[in-house]
Amino acid sequence: MNPRTVVVVGHGMVGHRFVESLRRLDTEDAWKVVVLAEENRPAYDRVALSSYVGDASAEDLTLDEHSDPLVELHLDEPVTGMDLAARTVRTAKGRDVAYDELVIATGSVPFVPPVPGRDLDNVFVYRTLDDLDGLRAAAETAIANAGAGRRAGVVVGGGLLGLEAANALRQLGLSPHVVEMAPRLMPVQVDEGGGALLQRLVSDLGLRVHTGVSTSSIAPDHRGGLTVTLSDDTELDASVVVFSAGIRPADSLAREVGLEVGERGGVLVDDRCRTSAEHVWAIGEVAAVKGRTYGLVAPGYAMAEVVAERLTGGDGRFSEADMSTKLKLLGVDVASFGDAHAASPGALEVTLNDPVAGTYSKLVVSDDATTLLGGILVGDASNYETLRGFLGENLPGDPMSLIAPAGDGAVGVGVDALPDGAQICSCNAVTKGALVAAITSGEATTVPQLKACTRAGTTCGSCVPTLGKVLASCGVEVSKSLCEHFSQSRAELYEIVMATGLRTFSEIVGQYGTGRGCDICKPAVASMLATLAGGHVLDGESATLQDTNDHFLANMQRNGTYSVVPRLPGGEVTPEGLIAIGSVAKDFGLYTKITGGQRIDMFGARVDDLPKIWRRLVDAGFESGHAYGKSLRTVKSCVGTDWCRYGVQDSVGLAVALELRYRGLRSPHKLKSGVSGCARECAEARSKDFGIIATETGWNLYLGGNGGFTPRHAELIASDLDTTTLVRTIDRFLMFYIRTADRLQRTAPWMESLEGGIDHLRDVIMSDSLGICTSLDEQMARHVEGYADEWAAVLEDPEKLERFTSFVNAPGTPDPTIEFVDHLGRRVPAGMKDGQPTDLAALGLGGVPITDGARIPMGAPA
Amino acid sequence: MTAQADVRQHPSGSTDGAEAKDPHPTPSTPAEPSSGTGWTEVCPLEKLQPERGVCALVGGEPVAVFRTHDDRLFALHNVDPFSNASVLSRGVVGDLGGTPVVASPLYKQHFALESGQALEDETVRVATYPVRVVNGTVEVGA
Ligand SMILES: Cc1cc2nc3c(=O)[nH]c(=O)nc-3n(C[C@H](O)[C@H](O)[C@H](O)COP(=O)(O)OP(=O)(O)OC[C@H]3O[C@@H](n4cnc5c(N)ncnc54)[C@H](O)[C@@H]3O)c2cc1C
Ligand code: SF4
């Protein structure tokens, strides 16, 4: 049998899901799918759109490719008309495509109110990756052109998406205004009490909120920017304007051919997603199921399943959709679920408003207070996933006790208490029962496996922490033991060492481990002892624990020689310093290279020469750069206000101060930092473990960035901090990381593994939610006080110096296995390494003409 | 390089990797002079810190000498066969599954101190040497 053809109009999230479901259910290959898509890229995760201005790339957001030969995807080829009688659609390329069944999945278009000036340049909507590319380019131009003046952006609309857009503006370096016509933000989701608190919380984050006013006009100003005038005659200067004033179903094609539409728009369908015409279906945001449209992805997915089922002989029906929502960004928790506004007859509200703690919670329950109907959480939505699981179910306790803060007679709600039918992932309709089945059948023993086999947590991601709890409640434990000698995780061992005051490895392994340790646990314990006890890394037994790099205070290279890196705080170096480094390198035959962290690395030092090299460096005023340690490496900086015409703060001064403060701090892995003098970010601070970007009024602090193997942009934890608060926050971040990370876990994966992510971290180090800040502060103070240059100390100590010899029984005899050769003009170890090119041709540069200095055609006519 | 086949033989009179607990032991057999008879002096025993190696030049070859926490002595050829760099004496000493080992500082393979066997690759083994203590001085035989 030849497959019949189903044509899908639109390759958004729902169109994509429909294709996947149909191919999965159509085991007999009865259907061929032709997708006609308006956008020039395949479907992507629109729900996560905002992460595109942050860490995510377009590839990260792209949904799984359809790998089935029965699927044809035509990008950049929108449908321009339909002929229901002939059963064809016409595309923008003038093609007619015949269908047996037609599925309309055109989604929505942003609604732009008829404000004068809405067509000007730098006025955007917020719906597609292209929109965000445009917004980003405009923000960058605005920042580049505006000198040191403050650049603002205006978001029209203070709903869920408007707040996301405002956050995006902030991440792009603009200060956002939000204009909302209703008297409060997120009017659909929250009530008056929640709205008031929400406004306070987002204002604290630097959003300027204007409620109860509308936008009257947008006009160009004389400096290339825009002036936005509000209905109360307020004028706002803005570089960009973003409309986020709601969406309208993209139903124009359907209207043209006379398909019935809902009262408030949308292609009218029944609960089987059938339109008023035969063989035509509508799903997703464009569909008005029994007259009602849904602006969320979960109901759209449910509609996709219904049609896929019906085309393969099933009888799916769309039922009431869960309209729960949660604000994903901004670091302000807002969630609403179920009947949040208590519209059900007889519904009761239980409210807890704590302005001091900054939390507002409301539960809506049935008239007998036993069944949960809905709720609103602002300020702390950590119970959202579990509470939502109880929607329509009997509550496990008195409603007040469920929202009371911990310790106040709160019972809290654990996943254990949830019924099997409770939906954990509402985007993909995955119940607790389905998760438990996947776990008990052995299919999934980790969160990533659970996501892969059930799809839970793969759309908006808000249920991911709950997935971990479900795993734990099923008794699945992931082994965290450090190595065969310690069953404890690094964090547990750190606590033990901290609490017991044990100060030698022998005691620690004797009382809490087995055997004699290894190259995993010894350096790990050495690092813990360094931050807990201090002292020189080569003192006593401590010397035996160090990795070779720490042991010789230099970095071993592939031929057994070492590289030497003196500290250049903030990347600053004097001419005298450069000359000293140069003469040392020359006298000891070292290859020199500028590092990515703004210092100078000298390669090829023999172990015997290290003390002589350091004698000269210390005499010239240098100290150890700790390039060898799992410790602070560098704080890179741009020149900031000293030299740069854009700089708004002294980035060099701060970088030097931070590098001197944290130098020598031993940590689970290396630590890198950077300070930029303005939002142009020349120091690439957001790729660092802690990065600081200057603002007019202070510093923005970003945490958990990484270059290297898995790049990750650091996340903003707080804006416009004064220097004291900034330093205190970094102190606590570093110490909390040192106490709780796994061995060799950089801050980026550590932050990803933190339950509650950056919000949790902010609670711990800025609001002291765990009550440990004093102890973190004290520990850092001890580090700063106890710092001494490791190399200077070695040079003073004949016993430590004795280690620096190639042969104990023949001091002074050079190691004959070490040789250097001149290779392509560079001094390198003798002995080729795999992958090392033999000549420029082997490097692939043979055919490229290389101009040498003398032949650079200077001033030659073009 | 010394023949790979030489797997740790203990001439009589050597410590057999055992009783070096007394930093100044009286050898059970009279010490032979350390030159010309196949024994090379390394260093005084008290200079050899437990669980941290040193490297000695023995008959022109670099040899790593280790003292474990229970005061046994071991000697291995210093060249790490995985990197060809002369570095094994600078590795971390410990045990894996009860076997005393040193970890190569470059790519972190482990070598059994008793046999020179690489734990990660059964075809790789480094040469081992006899060690003894004579009048408080560690010596390696070649
Ligand atoms: C910033 C943002 C954040 C969001 N956050 C959430 C959230 O947290 N939770 C949630 O549930 N939902 C959220 N949503 C909503 C969610 O993204 C949508 O509900 C979902 O994408 C709807 O899917 P859809 O396929 O119906 O429409 P879309 O994803 O919009 O896809 C429709 C596609 O059809 C194409 N198209 C239109 N006309 C034609 C034509 N004539 N021919 C061919 N192709 C055409 C469009 O170009 C588009 O690619 C968010 C949306 C945005 C913009
Ligand atoms: S980041 Fe620094 S160097 Fe770059 S423009 Fe801003 S102040 Fe100037």
Side-chain angles (χ1 to χ4, degrees):
Chain A
M1 187 180 79
N2 266 345
R4 301 200 298 147
T5 301
V6 50
V7 168
V8 182
V9 188
H11 199 232
M13 298 187 75
V14 174
H16 174 273
R17 169 58 64 89
F18 167 75
V19 176
E20 291 283 288
S21 306
L22 180 66
R23 290 317 318 146
R24 182 169 38 84
L25 295 176
D26 179 22
T27 46
E28 281 161 17
D29 288 351
W31 292 101
K32 176 183 154 196
V33 188
V34 177
V35 188
L36 298 167
E38 177 183 54
E39 290 187 72
N40 58 10
R41 43 185 132 216
Y44 51 87
D45 185 352
R46 202 178 304 286
V47 170
L49 189 68
S50 294
S51 63
Y52 185 56
V53 293
D55 316 328
S57 65
E59 291 78 66
D60 293 340
L61 295 181
T62 305
L63 300 176
D64 290 344
E65 200 184 327
H66 306 298
S67 51
D68 199 300
L70 283 173
V71 181
E72 270 176 33
L73 173 59
H74 301 275
L75 297 178
D76 207 3
E77 187 171 5
V79 170
T80 52
M82 313 193 283
D83 184 338
L84 301 182
R87 284 206 215 158
T88 59
V89 296
R90 157 95 23 129
T91 76
K93 294 189 177 158
R95 284 201 304 144
D96 287 324
V97 182
Y99 64 80
D100 294 297
E101 301 289 335
L102 178 64
V103 178
I104 302 176
T106 48
S108 308
V109 286
F111 168 66
V112 180
V115 175
R118 64 181 198 163
D119 297 326
L120 289 170
D121 278 353
N122 297 328
V123 177
F124 295 93
V125 294
Y126 197 81
R127 177 89 192 166
T128 65
L129 286 175
D130 285 350
D131 293 336
L132 265 60
D133 281 333
L135 187 59
R136 189 198 307 263
E140 280 168 7
T141 316
I143 290 172
N145 293 341
R150 211 179 225 305
R151 279 74 43 178
V154 171
V155 176
V156 180
L160 200 61
L161 294 190
L163 290 180
E164 278 196 23
N167 192 47
L169 291 184
R170 200 169 64 135
Q171 278 177 284
L172 292 171
L174 303 178
S175 23
H177 292 267
V178 177
V179 181
E180 169 58 50
M181 229 156 51
R184 60 173 184 273
L185 294 172
M186 291 178 68
V188 182
Q189 288 85 10
V190 305
D191 57 7
E192 217 184 303
L197 175 62
L198 176 59
Q199 176 151 352
R200 204 187 92 201
L201 294 176
V202 302
S203 301
D204 288 349
L205 291 173
L207 267 60
R208 271 166 283 175
V209 180
H210 311 260
T211 47
V213 283
S214 58
T215 310
S216 310
S217 70
I218 306 169
D221 68 13
H222 59 280
R223 286 169 303 156
L226 299 167
T227 303
V228 180
T229 309
L230 307 184
S231 55
D232 62 358
D233 293 335
T234 309
E235 288 190 356
L236 304 173
D237 285 332
S239 306
V240 299
V241 174
V242 180
F243 276 100
S244 180
I247 50 174
R248 297 286 179 271
D251 57 10
S252 55
L253 286 174
R255 286 176 191 265
E256 276 168 30
V257 294
L259 288 181
E260 277 181 44
V261 292
E263 233 170 76
R264 273 171 291 157
V267 182
L268 192 65
V269 296
D270 62 7
D271 62 355
R272 297 170 161 129
C273 297
R274 295 183 300 197
T275 67
S276 55
E278 272 200 86
H279 309 293
V280 183
W281 314 74
I283 58 178
E285 283 188 353
V286 71
V289 187
K290 297 182 178 165
R292 177 167 179 199
T293 54
Y294 296 87
L296 292 174
V297 73
Y301 279 175
M303 296 178 215
E305 299 287 344
V306 167
V307 178
E309 268 182 43
R310 299 200 76 89
L311 293 186
T312 50
D315 185 23
R317 278 172 199 253
F318 181 82
S319 56
E320 261 308 285
D322 177 6
M323 296 300 282
S324 307
T325 40
K326 190 174 172 189
L327 186 62
K328 303 186 291 290
L329 302 160
L330 274 172
V332 174
D333 279 5
V334 185
S336 88
F337 52 97
D339 178 13
H341 293 283
S344 320
L348 303 174
E349 297 184 17
V350 183
T351 307
L352 191 80
N353 193 352
D354 185 345
V356 180
T359 61
Y360 172 91
S361 329
K362 179 173 94 174
L363 293 186
V364 177
V365 294
S366 57
D367 49 8
D368 58 356
T370 58
T371 311
L372 184 63
L373 301 177
I376 297 173
L377 304 169
V378 180
D380 173 14
S382 50
N383 272 338
Y384 166 67
E385 304 297 330
T386 358
L387 282 173
R388 210 194 53 207
F390 281 104
L391 268 186
E393 305 276 346
N394 275 344
L395 284 171
D398 148 37
M400 188 51 112
S401 69
L402 297 177
I403 50 178
D408 266 7
V411 295
V413 273
V415 285
D416 282 340
L418 283 180
D420 268 359
Q423 223 172 57
I424 304 286
C425 171
S426 64
C427 291
N428 294 292
V430 184
T431 60
K432 178 184 166 196
L435 292 172
V436 171
I439 296 166
T440 46
S441 71
E443 232 185 310
T445 53
T446 63
V447 172
Q449 285 171 1
L450 256 191
K451 285 166 76 172
C453 70
T454 64
R455 273 189 164 156
T458 54
T459 306
C460 81
S462 65
C463 64
V464 172
T466 316
L467 300 184
K469 289 183 199 149
V470 175
L471 271 170
S473 80
C474 291
V476 176
E477 264 178 62
V478 183
S479 169
K480 282 266 191 183
S481 52
L482 190 58
C483 65
E484 68 170 62
H485 304 99
F486 289 98
S487 61
Q488 301 85 348
S489 69
R490 182 188 172 281
E492 288 163 347
L493 201 56
Y494 198 101
E495 283 218 348
I496 290 174
V497 178
M498 189 155 64
T500 57
L502 292 179
R503 288 298 176 257
T504 67
F505 179 82
S506 293
E507 291 171 303
I508 296 167
V509 75
Q511 295 182 29
Y512 295 94
T514 56
R516 279 306 302 170
C518 62
D519 53 311
I520 292 177
C521 57
K522 283 186 165 182
V525 169
S527 159
M528 297 179 201
L529 291 175
T531 47
L532 287 170
H536 196 279
V537 290
L538 299 184
D539 279 342
E541 193 197 51
S542 187
T544 70
L545 308 177
Q546 310 293 344
D547 252 331
T548 193
N549 286 356
D550 278 298
H551 192 232
F552 290 97
L553 307 166
N555 293 45
M556 185 184 274
Q557 303 297 335
R558 68 179 169 90
N559 67 340
T561 61
Y562 289 87
S563 67
V564 172
V565 186
R567 182 170 301 292
L568 303 180
E572 254 185 346
V573 61
T574 60
E576 292 74 25
L578 278 175
I579 291 168
I581 290 176
S583 70
V584 166
K586 202 165 163 204
D587 294 349
F588 291 90
L590 307 177
Y591 167 77
T592 47
K593 193 167 188 313
I594 308 289
T595 70
Q598 300 186 331
R599 353 199 239 185
I600 299 171
D601 205 340
M602 296 178 261
F603 290 83
R606 295 165 185 272
V607 79
D608 320 62
D609 286 341
L610 287 173
K612 296 176 223 154
I613 290 171
W614 271 106
R615 179 79 268 163
R616 300 248 313 251
L617 291 172
V618 168
D619 288 346
F622 290 107
E623 59 175 16
S624 167
H626 293 100
Y628 46 81
K630 303 285 179 251
S631 57
L632 178 83
R633 295 287 168 86
T634 73
V635 183
K636 188 174 168 178
S637 68
C638 74
V639 289
T641 40
D642 281 351
W643 295 93
C644 179
R645 65 193 158 125
Y646 297 124
V648 293
Q649 302 277 356
D650 179 9
S651 44
V652 181
L654 182 72
V656 171
L658 292 177
E659 185 158 341
L660 295 180
R661 183 171 182 82
Y662 303 125
R663 62 187 164 178
L665 179 67
R666 292 298 200 280
S667 50
H669 210 315
K670 61 188 170 193
L671 290 165
K672 299 184 179 184
S673 176
V675 183
S676 282
C678 81
R680 286 170 189 74
E681 241 286 67
C682 296
E684 296 165 329
R686 290 196 64 202
S687 65
K688 307 296 184 199
D689 295 280
F690 55 106
I692 298 103
I693 301 178
T695 67
E696 242 111 303
T697 51
W699 308 98
N700 285 355
L701 175 59
Y702 295 84
L703 299 178
N706 201 350
F709 193 60
T710 320
R712 178 182 196 268
H713 265 131
E715 290 177 79
L716 181 71
I717 187 159
S719 329
D720 295 323
L721 297 174
D722 60 71
T723 310
T724 313
T725 315
L726 173 81
V727 172
R728 191 178 57 220
T729 310
I730 302 173
D731 283 359
R732 293 173 178 176
F733 163 71
L734 292 175
M735 274 305 169
F736 188 48
Y737 162 67
I738 287 171
R739 286 188 184 181
T740 60
D742 280 338
R743 166 189 165 268
L744 296 189
Q745 188 179 38
R746 289 288 296 269
T747 58
W750 172 70
M751 287 195 30
E752 268 169 27
S753 72
L754 274 186
E755 216 170 89
I758 184 103
D759 296 337
H760 172 65
L761 185 62
R762 187 181 296 112
D763 288 345
V764 174
I765 64 178
M766 300 194 75
S767 314
D768 201 10
S769 61
L770 300 180
I772 56 171
C773 285
T774 315
S775 142
L776 296 174
D777 292 344
E778 285 168 1
Q779 204 181 349
M780 186 59 86
R782 278 199 301 278
H783 162 77
V784 175
E785 230 157 76
Y787 170 82
D789 177 25
E790 281 165 4
W791 260 110
V794 167
L795 295 176
E796 296 310 308
D797 184 338
E799 250 184 58
K800 291 189 176 111
L801 278 174
E802 274 182 9
R803 297 172 204 274
F804 294 87
T805 172
S806 291
F807 303 110
V808 261
N809 60 349
T813 310
D815 183 342
T817 66
I818 293 174
E819 275 181 87
F820 299 95
V821 293
D822 183 317
H823 178 74
L824 307 181
R826 302 195 289 267
R827 182 181 159 87
V828 302
M832 294 292 286
K833 183 165 171 28
D834 290 348
Q836 203 180 0
T838 45
D839 53 31
L840 288 179
L843 185 60
L845 287 173
V848 181
I850 297 181
T851 318
D852 68 22
R855 271 184 277 127
I856 291 177
M858 297 223 307
Chain B
M1 215 201 259
T2 322
Q4 290 273 338
D6 176 1
V7 180
R8 196 180 163 79
Q9 286 160 4
H10 298 277
S12 61
S14 76
T15 60
D16 201 14
E19 312 86 19
K21 290 210 167 76
D22 176 1
H24 304 286
T26 331
S28 44
T29 51
E32 293 153 72
S34 59
S35 57
T37 57
W39 290 97
T40 305
E41 280 189 14
V42 174
C43 64
L45 182 62
E46 77 261 18
K47 287 275 175 206
L48 191 51
Q49 189 176 17
E51 302 194 321
R52 194 86 243 185
V54 296
C55 181
L57 205 51
V58 179
E61 292 293 330
V63 173
V65 184
F66 302 99
R67 172 177 176 180
T68 51
H69 69 104
D70 51 0
D71 271 344
R72 294 194 294 157
L73 296 175
F74 300 94
L76 307 180
H77 199 278
N78 195 47
V79 170
D80 164 21
F82 294 96
S83 63
N84 285 324
S86 182
V87 295
L88 285 187
S89 62
R90 298 178 226 164
V92 173
V93 178
D95 61 5
L96 283 185
T99 310
V101 294
V102 61
S104 160
L106 277 163
Y107 300 114
K108 315 291 175 191
Q109 293 89 355
H110 299 90
F111 298 90
L113 295 182
E114 280 157 356
S115 62
Q117 177 64 51
L119 303 193
E120 285 79 8
D121 184 342
E122 61 178 34
T123 66
V124 177
R125 172 191 285 256
V126 295
T128 58
Y129 299 82
V131 202
R132 66 180 185 182
V133 177
V134 178
N135 291 332
T137 298
V138 179
E139 294 182 357
V140 167

